[in-house]
Amino acid sequence: MAVCKYCVKSVTWLKEGRKNVPVEDDGGIHECEQYKNVRRSARKLTPNEIDPEILKQYQENMKNKLKK
């Protein structure tokens, strides 16, 4: 049985359409506050915020990886 890495409750993963959904033992969908807090605090970067040299190096590395 799988465990939620945020609140350490046991969950079972079920396929709903194309999406995997965590389900608790009682049959309800698992939604914990710890996970919601982590999602809220995630920072999103736009390419304008990243140093152009670092962005260029990253893009070159991705192209090289695709060529292999």
Side-chain angles (χ1 to χ4, degrees), residues 10-47:
S10 62
V11 294
T12 304
W13 290 92
L14 296 178
K15 191 90 166 172
E16 189 172 287
R18 300 179 94 192
K19 185 176 179 184
N20 290 326
V21 179
V23 178
E24 293 182 0
D25 293 335
D26 62 357
I29 295 175
H30 177 71
E31 295 177 343
C32 59
E33 286 299 317
Q34 294 88 340
Y35 175 70
K36 291 178 184 177
N37 291 338
V38 169
R39 293 284 298 190
R40 253 186 257 128
S41 68
R43 182 172 175 223
K44 295 184 180 177
L45 293 175
T46 59

